[in-house]
Amino acid sequence: MADEEVILLDFWGSMFGMRVRIALAEKGIKYEYKEEDLWNKSTLLVEMNPIHKRIPVLIHNGKSICESLIIVQYVDEVWHGKAPLLPSDPYQRAHARFWADVVDDKMYDAGKNVWATKGEDQEAANKVFFDTLKLLEAELGDKPYFGGDSFGFVDVALIPYYSWFHAYETFGNFSIEAECPKLIAWAKRCTEKESVSKSLADENKICEFVSQLRNKFGIE
Amino acid sequence: MAESDLALIGAWQSPFVLRARVALNIKNLQYVFHEETFGNKSELLLKSNPVHKKIPVLLHSGKSICESLIIVEYIDEVWSSSGHAILPSDPYGRAIARFWAAYIDEKFFPSLRSIAVVQDEAGKKAAVEQVITGISLLEKAFGESSKGKPFFGGDHIGYLDIAFGGMLGWIKVTETIAGLKLIDPETTPQLAQWAEKFIHDPAVSGVFPDIGTLTEYSKVVIAKLRGSAGAK
């Protein structure tokens, strides 16, 4: 559709922004990417997301859609002809929404607490982190993707965190592959898709970014 | 329509369970209601929702569906030709409804709950401010969403009516316990009118909790939650 105007307000390292990038890439949608400085938010961002003032925000023909999983569902519904992300069966859809919610509920804090803490607090954080990954790995089971045979909604929700794994491993001092080999195999399978590999941030840049955050918050 | 393989695990006091019950009523569905006792989770609940162990859980033909808003969408999709549509038909309308429902769950409800439970003055004040802000945002959202009609969903109760309407019992209880006016004809005229219409709607009136009973119940719960917080 040549007359569609699609703009994404995003931050290069955001796993939430990456979800939207992947969805747009899966659907082959051309869009304008606008990088936000999270410490100096643009007037456009504040105007388009006045409630939360956070990225990602999708602006489609002048209307803003906020919250990453809501945006992904919106993209899936508007551009429904190609690469469906949610299944068509209502129970499978409910199941996918449930597990995407589990990712939202648990992953961000679990990961953050790994790099944002030290000593005993970090030991506790590491345990919660692996409990979360193992819960997700059990749900994946022997399927190639969380969506079954094809890449879907839950895969989109979780795969951006893979770009942060190197940072979690570095600062948490552990190996994710050693504990959750199936999950790593799944992640590598996902990154073979161009929509994913082009959307994920570079893991070394993320690691450097986290190091800066740790300095900023006095964690080192 | 009688569905012998449809059941809901819930409790009369829960705003989240109320959401599921209103959706089931909109679609004229018969179901078995398994009432849970606060503080004593049944085997059925633990088996049906092992990840969160929370109500509501919808049981349909041997499958369990968890999380109130996910249940509402599921009901709307499975019984799409019964009653009226719950989700808006256009993707943008759906995105807006889902946005406000997520706001209610992430920001509004935790603050509402805090007002009664939190004991320090600063915490309570912050919670009250968050709730008042939320209600004024939703008053504005109502105007935009309803476009002059009685509900967020237009002529009929829709997804956002259900998401927010489920909270009305606890909003009223909080007003009584904390001496606040939250939804009020003077400050939030649209929501005040909407609340009355919602509570008296045929899909809601039979399942909406009695406010007196809910207020008494809340005093017991608050005492328990404060007691356990103090013991930490």
Side-chain angles (χ1 to χ4, degrees):
Chain A
M1 293 185 218
D3 54 353
E4 299 277 1
E5 186 204 51
V6 183
I7 301 170
L8 175 63
L9 306 182
D10 199 352
F11 174 72
W12 68 271
S14 164
M15 43 302 247
F16 305 102
M18 287 176 222
R19 289 168 169 176
V20 181
R21 288 175 233 163
I22 294 169
L24 291 167
E26 281 285 298
K27 303 289 185 176
I29 298 160
K30 288 194 166 39
Y31 65 97
E32 186 189 340
Y33 177 94
K34 285 194 175 184
E35 182 73 25
E36 283 285 331
D37 175 356
L38 298 186
W39 286 273
N40 187 16
K41 295 176 185 185
S42 72
T43 333
L44 182 63
L45 173 58
V46 174
E47 192 193 308
M48 290 289 138
N49 189 355
I51 312 298
H52 300 300
K53 303 178 177 61
R54 63 189 182 202
I55 55 93
V57 178
L58 191 76
I59 310 172
H60 182 207
N61 295 334
K63 293 196 195 153
S64 63
I65 300 97
C66 308
E67 300 298 283
S68 62
L69 293 181
I70 292 176
I71 300 172
V72 171
Q73 287 188 85
Y74 174 83
V75 167
D76 200 37
E77 289 169 15
V78 172
W79 290 279
H80 53 82
K82 186 178 175 191
L85 295 171
L86 273 167
S88 50
D89 170 73
Y91 176 71
Q92 295 302 330
R93 290 160 77 80
H95 193 80
R97 286 177 174 136
F98 176 84
W99 282 99
D101 259 7
V102 171
V103 174
D104 255 5
D105 205 26
K106 296 181 189 293
M107 268 312 296
Y108 184 79
D109 286 340
K112 183 176 179 191
N113 289 334
V114 164
W115 62 257
T117 57
K118 303 189 286 204
E120 268 178 36
D121 286 342
Q122 193 183 50
E123 270 174 49
N126 288 358
K127 183 176 184 305
V128 170
F129 181 76
F130 278 107
D131 283 347
T132 305
L133 287 192
K134 285 181 177 170
L135 177 69
L136 293 165
E137 197 180 46
E139 168 53 24
L140 176 67
D142 292 316
K143 306 194 294 287
Y145 300 103
F146 281 91
D149 288 326
S150 42
F151 183 78
F153 192 63
V154 183
D155 304 283
V156 174
L158 184 59
I159 193 60
Y161 283 93
Y162 183 58
S163 63
W164 283 68
F165 277 11
H166 179 50
Y168 298 146
E169 288 178 319
T170 304
F171 297 107
N173 196 26
F174 49 64
S175 156
I176 295 176
E177 187 153 21
E179 296 284 328
C180 302
K182 279 186 171 172
L183 203 62
I184 297 297
W186 160 82
K188 290 180 177 168
R189 189 175 302 124
C190 288
T191 56
E192 283 166 19
K193 294 172 72 62
E194 203 181 333
S195 62
V196 174
S197 60
K198 291 209 157 153
S199 303
L200 258 46
D202 176 80
E203 63 178 18
N204 294 313
K205 273 185 81 179
I206 296 278
C207 208
E208 209 181 284
F209 174 65
V210 173
S211 180
Q212 286 166 14
L213 286 175
R214 281 166 60 94
N215 281 329
K216 195 173 170 130
F217 297 125
I219 296 156
E220 298 275 56
Chain B
M1 181 206 275
E3 295 275 346
S4 55
D5 58 355
L6 192 59
L8 183 72
I9 310 175
W12 67 272
Q13 321 88 318
S14 163
F16 304 101
V17 171
L18 182 57
R19 289 171 170 174
R21 300 193 86 174
V22 171
L24 287 162
N25 286 346
I26 285 171
K27 302 292 185 178
N28 306 309
L29 294 167
Q30 305 296 315
Y31 59 97
V32 174
F33 186 62
H34 296 289
E35 181 94 44
E36 287 286 308
T37 320
F38 181 72
N40 188 17
K41 297 181 187 200
S42 70
E43 276 305 307
L44 181 65
L45 173 59
L46 297 176
K47 198 184 82 178
S48 309
N49 189 357
V51 176
H52 300 305
K53 307 176 177 57
K54 284 183 179 172
I55 50 165
V57 181
L58 187 74
L59 302 170
H60 183 212
S61 302
K63 297 172 295 220
S64 59
I65 299 98
C66 309
E67 297 298 288
S68 63
L69 296 175
I70 294 176
I71 292 171
V72 171
E73 292 216 37
Y74 176 81
I75 290 168
D76 200 33
E77 289 171 12
V78 173
W79 290 279
S80 54
S81 48
S82 302
H84 63 260
I86 296 174
L87 272 289
S89 53
D90 68 303
Y92 182 68
R94 292 152 87 89
I96 296 299
R98 286 173 179 146
F99 173 87
W100 285 112
Y103 174 85
I104 288 162
D105 279 2
E106 280 157 43
K107 295 232 148 67
F108 184 81
F109 179 72
S111 299
L112 185 71
R113 199 165 167 269
S114 286
I115 293 174
V117 175
V118 154
Q119 297 189 75
D120 74 286
E121 281 312 304
K124 204 192 269 280
K125 189 165 179 270
V128 171
E129 271 169 31
Q130 173 71 76
V131 167
I132 289 175
T133 300
I135 285 179
S136 100
L137 287 171
L138 286 159
E139 171 81 4
K140 187 162 172 267
F142 182 84
E144 289 160 1
S145 186
S146 64
K147 300 189 187 23
K149 300 213 169 155
F151 297 105
F152 283 94
D155 288 314
H156 305 290
I157 286 180
Y159 181 79
L160 187 48
D161 298 281
I162 290 173
F164 192 37
M167 299 284 144
L168 282 170
W170 283 98
I171 290 173
K172 286 179 185 276
V173 167
T174 306
E175 284 176 332
T176 305
I177 290 184
L180 294 166
K181 274 189 184 173
L182 298 172
I183 293 184
D184 176 71
E186 273 177 45
T187 49
T188 59
Q190 294 181 104
L191 285 181
Q193 263 198 334
W194 163 81
E196 287 307 297
K197 292 206 166 84
F198 180 83
I199 292 168
H200 294 106
D201 188 275
V204 179
S205 55
V207 291
F208 196 80
D210 173 75
I211 298 302
T213 318
L214 194 63
T215 309
E216 284 314 300
Y217 168 79
S218 72
K219 292 175 183 169
V220 172
V221 171
I222 289 163
K224 274 196 181 147
L225 290 170
R226 283 184 175 177
S228 64
K232 277 190 191 150

